[in-house]
């Protein structure tokens, strides 16, 4: 009996030792999900997806990549039906389409052969806009694309600057 | 060469400090190295972060001024200076040694080893041969500007910027998430995919964007057009035309002049040869319209009227670009058809030098 308790205690100690306190703090800093959607593809639009959706973090489904596309700078309204095209330097290409709130994501493994640096285009109703610099390693758009725009961020991802 | 001073504080019971000076590579021309490091290492998800020891400011990364935003506006002199400080202060003693020995064994520097991926580096090999040459040339004391500029212009991957042609994309996949579209054979997963593509405009010298207009982010230059494009004048000026190099081109090529009517025109000069500079891209952006031309063997450039609408000059942006860089005409200067009028670039104090 005593031996069993010790084993459990040791296992708990090991498990807690593997947690990443920095990651936990960042997830905590996101605050509660106050959006209108339950946990699922539509929730937390504009949040850095892979902060939770990575192995060892809060969500059970890890992502390779994720983000939210908005129609314009302002008002901040998610844009569905945008084809997010990803390219790498080897000529590999992949497309994923935003859902009704503007969210898109690739589950773990879905990025396939695409490797960093990744160049991104957005295509919507025959019009295209593109990031001018590639993503070198970040897997959440919103980690760099935070609001408001300023010296450390270009602001949220939008399709058009003007209406 | 430049001397940098480092204050070394010896932590002990008594506080003492000593200032040491080191001879390090000059900051003159470092902007070329800075641009290369910014493009290859300074993205917001890498060294374009305030928490980095090697903190880099760049056009598309971290900005120094609270008024600046990534992706908008050129890198400032203050940002280049901050990058210089960041690079120099990393290992000043070693840097001084390497520089003092003419750049020998540059891999003694962490900067070089990381960039070459000779030691652990999350970003892997960060520089290509040109980028490596750029850093090493700076350590040797004479910056290879062309290598730096070549390395600072990231080549876009095949297909990027061509607007379409990759097959269908699914929508309404599992849980409302879009399906995947593989290239080039069309969509997989999801239903109701719609083929898109083939709508991107094409660019021709002196032309504007084609139908379907390729709008390419916040950047001035269209994605499909890179500086490696063969930039040659569509119609070179005739022999002997250089006698008009200081004249207002529009006086002959305006609406009422005897020459072919131009929307805009001017002359760009080489600072090295003091003669006209060839193969310089000159572009004006006005709303959705983009006017592009290239300078000829005498440095002349023009955009023919050719039934195009004129730019909305008060709101137009003007850039020139060549193999060694780019220049942006300040917004508070008068943008107008006659670049070479006497009070503008024909004036001796306002000569339009190629980058």
């Amino acid at each position: 009996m005593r031996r069993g308790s010790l084993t459990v205690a040791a296992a708990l100690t090991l498990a807690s030792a593997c947690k990443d306190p920095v990651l936990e703090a960042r997830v905590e800093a996101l605050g509660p999900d106050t959006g209108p959607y339950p946990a699922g593809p539509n929730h937390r639009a504009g949040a850095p997806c892979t902060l939770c959706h990575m192995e060892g973090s809060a969500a059970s489904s890890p992502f390779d990549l994720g983000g939210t596309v908005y129609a314009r700078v302002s008002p901040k309204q998610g844009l569905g039906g945008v084809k997010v095209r990803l390219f790498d330097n080897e000529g590999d290409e992949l497309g994923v389409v935003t859902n009704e709130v503007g969210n898109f994501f690739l589950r773990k493994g879905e990025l396939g052969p695409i490797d960093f640096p990744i160049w991104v285009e957005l295509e919507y109703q025959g019009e295209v806009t593109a990031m001018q610099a590639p993503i070198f390693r970040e897997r959440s758009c919103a980690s760099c694309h935070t609001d408001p725009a300023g010296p450390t961020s270009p602001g949220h991802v939008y399709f058009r600057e003007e209406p | 060469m430049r001397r940098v001073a480092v204050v070394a504080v010896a932590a002990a019971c008594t506080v003492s400090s000593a200032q040491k000076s080191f001879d390090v590579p000059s900051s003159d021309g470092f902007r070329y190295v800075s641009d290369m490091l910014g493009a290859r290492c300074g993205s917001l998800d890498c060294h374009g972060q305030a928490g980095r020891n090697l903190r880099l400011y760049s056009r598309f990364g971290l900005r120094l001024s609270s008024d600046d935003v990534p992706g908008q506006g050129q890198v400032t002199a203050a940002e280049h200076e901050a990058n210089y400080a960041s690079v120099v202060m990393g290992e000043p003693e070693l840097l001084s040694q390497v520089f003092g020995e003419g750049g020998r064994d540059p891999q003694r520097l962490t900067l070089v080893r990381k960039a070459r991926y000779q030691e652990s580096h999350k970003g892997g090999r960060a520089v290509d041969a040109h980028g490596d040459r750029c850093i090493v040339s700076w350590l040797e004391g004479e910056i290879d500007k062309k290598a730096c500029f070549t390395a600072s212009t990231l080549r876009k991957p095949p297909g990027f910027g061509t607007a379409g042609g990759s097959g269908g994309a699914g929508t309404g996949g599992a849980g409302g998430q879009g399906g995947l579209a593989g290239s080039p054979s069309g969509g997989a997963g999801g239903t109701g995919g719609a083929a898109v593509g083939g709508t991107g405009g094409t660019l021709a010298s002196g032309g504007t964007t084609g139908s379907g207009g390729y709008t390419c982010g916040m950047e001035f230059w269209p994605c499909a057009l890179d500086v490696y494009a063969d930039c040659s004048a569509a119609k070179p000026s005739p022999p002997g035309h250089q006698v008009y190099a200081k004249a207002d081109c529009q006086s002959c090529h305006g609406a009422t002049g005897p020459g072919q009517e131009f929307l805009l025109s001017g002359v760009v000069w080489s600072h090295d040869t003091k003669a006209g500079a060839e193969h310089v891209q000159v572009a004006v952006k006005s709303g959705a319209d983009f006017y592009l031309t290239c300078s000829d063997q005498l440095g002349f450039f023009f955009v023919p009227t050719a039934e195009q609408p004129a730019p909305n000059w008060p709101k137009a942006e003007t850039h020139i670009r060549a193999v060694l860089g780019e220049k942006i005409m300040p917004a508070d200067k008068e943008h107008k058809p006659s670049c070479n009028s006497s009070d503008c670039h024909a004036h001796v104090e306002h000569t339009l030098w190629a980058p």
Side-chain angles (χ1 to χ4, degrees):
Chain A
M1 183 68 180
R2 182 176 172 78
R3 186 171 182 169
S5 299
L6 281 174
T7 306
V8 170
L12 286 172
T13 304
L14 280 173
S16 63
C18 289
K19 289 192 174 179
D20 180 344
V22 176
L23 176 64
E24 283 185 338
R26 292 181 68 195
V27 171
E28 187 72 24
L30 288 176
D33 185 355
T34 57
Y37 300 100
N42 291 356
H43 87 137
R44 283 193 184 267
C49 318
T50 59
L51 211 53
C52 295
H53 288 277
M54 66 184 291
E55 282 181 354
S57 190
S60 57
S61 50
F63 291 172
D64 272 351
L65 210 69
T68 307
V69 178
Y70 295 90
R72 301 182 182 87
V73 176
S74 180
K76 197 174 168 186
Q77 189 173 2
L79 185 62
V82 177
K83 185 178 180 186
V84 181
R85 300 173 73 198
L86 311 169
F87 300 78
D88 71 11
N89 287 334
E90 302 305 314
D92 297 312
E93 182 192 338
L94 189 68
V96 58
V97 178
T98 60
N99 65 19
E100 58 184 311
V101 299
N103 283 351
F104 73 93
F105 53 88
L106 294 166
R107 291 187 177 84
K108 188 169 173 57
E110 288 183 339
L111 197 54
I114 305 277
D115 197 10
F116 290 97
I118 296 173
W119 296 76
V120 185
E121 273 186 1
L122 304 179
E123 191 170 325
Y124 182 68
Q125 296 182 345
E127 225 175 296
V128 177
T129 189
M131 271 179 70
Q132 291 303 300
I135 302 168
F136 281 87
R137 60 199 245 196
E138 180 55 53
R139 293 174 183 273
S140 293
C141 301
S143 288
C144 296
H145 286 275
T146 57
D147 279 326
T152 60
S153 168
H156 60 264
V157 177
Y158 59 86
F159 188 74
R160 270 198 195 148
E161 197 159 353
E162 296 168 0
Chain B
M1 185 174 70
R2 180 162 161 178
R3 287 185 85 78
V4 293
V6 177
V7 177
V9 178
C13 295
T14 57
V15 176
S16 66
S17 64
Q19 183 166 307
K20 291 183 177 179
S21 293
F22 303 96
D23 292 332
V24 295
S26 174
S27 60
D28 292 342
F30 184 78
R31 67 184 182 91
Y32 293 98
V33 184
S34 171
D35 276 337
M36 187 280 292
L37 291 173
R40 293 190 167 269
C41 316
S43 64
L44 290 169
D45 55 350
C46 295
H47 288 275
Q49 294 180 358
R52 296 285 179 164
N53 289 334
L54 179 66
R55 182 194 303 178
L56 295 171
Y57 297 93
S58 63
R59 188 173 180 184
F60 297 111
L62 184 66
R63 305 311 303 263
L64 182 60
S65 165
S66 58
D67 295 330
D68 286 333
V69 173
Q72 296 178 22
Q74 293 286 78
V75 180
T76 63
E79 288 172 327
H80 287 312
E81 186 67 20
N83 288 348
Y84 177 79
S86 192
V87 169
V88 164
M89 300 305 273
E91 294 171 306
E93 294 93 342
L94 265 179
L95 178 62
S96 184
Q97 281 178 27
V98 171
F99 176 61
E101 294 167 17
R104 187 176 62 81
D105 297 333
Q107 71 279 4
R108 283 179 282 175
L109 293 166
T110 304
L111 173 74
V112 173
R113 291 196 306 277
K114 293 271 188 187
R116 291 176 176 176
Y117 201 26
Q118 289 176 331
E119 76 172 46
S120 176
H121 184 217
K122 209 161 187 176
R125 182 178 164 83
V127 296
D128 59 1
H130 295 293
D132 192 72
R133 177 68 206 136
C134 174
I135 296 172
V136 171
S137 69
W138 176 64
L139 296 171
E140 290 170 349
E142 188 165 351
I143 296 172
D144 185 335
K145 295 175 184 175
K146 191 160 188 176
C148 293
F149 184 69
T150 302
S152 70
T153 308
L154 300 179
R155 278 193 178 275
K156 295 177 177 69
F160 182 79
T162 54
S166 66
T171 56
Q177 163 71 5
L180 301 178
S183 173
S185 58
T191 57
V196 287
T199 56
T202 56
L203 289 162
S205 181
T208 58
T209 49
S211 63
Y214 194 89
T215 58
C216 200
M218 297 172 288
E219 174 68 345
F220 177 85
W221 300 93
C223 302
L225 180 71
D226 67 34
V227 77
Y228 302 100
D230 178 26
C231 179
S232 299
K235 184 181 175 186
S237 49
H241 210 64
Q242 61 266 38
V243 296
Y244 301 112
K246 293 288 184 182
D248 180 351
C249 312
Q250 295 296 113
S251 64
C252 285
H253 293 281
T256 57
Q260 180 188 0
E261 188 178 346
F262 296 162
L263 272 182
L264 65 101
S265 54
V267 182
V268 60
W269 300 83
S270 162
H271 198 272
D272 291 339
T273 65
K274 304 295 184 284
E278 193 177 10
H279 304 309
V280 177
Q281 293 177 333
V282 180
V284 173
K285 190 174 186 181
S286 169
D289 292 327
F290 189 77
Y291 305 82
L292 172 71
T293 185
C294 296
S295 61
D296 65 18
Q297 77 285 359
L298 300 177
F300 287 89
F301 62 85
F302 68 92
V303 172
T305 300
E307 298 179 359
Q308 300 178 78
N312 179 8
W313 288 109
K315 292 190 173 181
E317 296 175 65
T318 306
H319 293 214
I320 66 172
R321 189 165 68 162
V323 290
L324 283 183
E326 179 179 0
K327 285 185 170 179
I328 300 174
M329 188 169 171
D332 61 348
K333 302 296 180 192
E334 185 184 6
H335 298 240
K336 58 181 184 178
S338 52
C339 310
N340 229 25
S341 61
S342 59
D343 56 342
C344 295
H345 290 298
H347 191 284
V348 68
E349 291 181 6
H350 307 305
T351 303
L352 181 57
W353 300 113

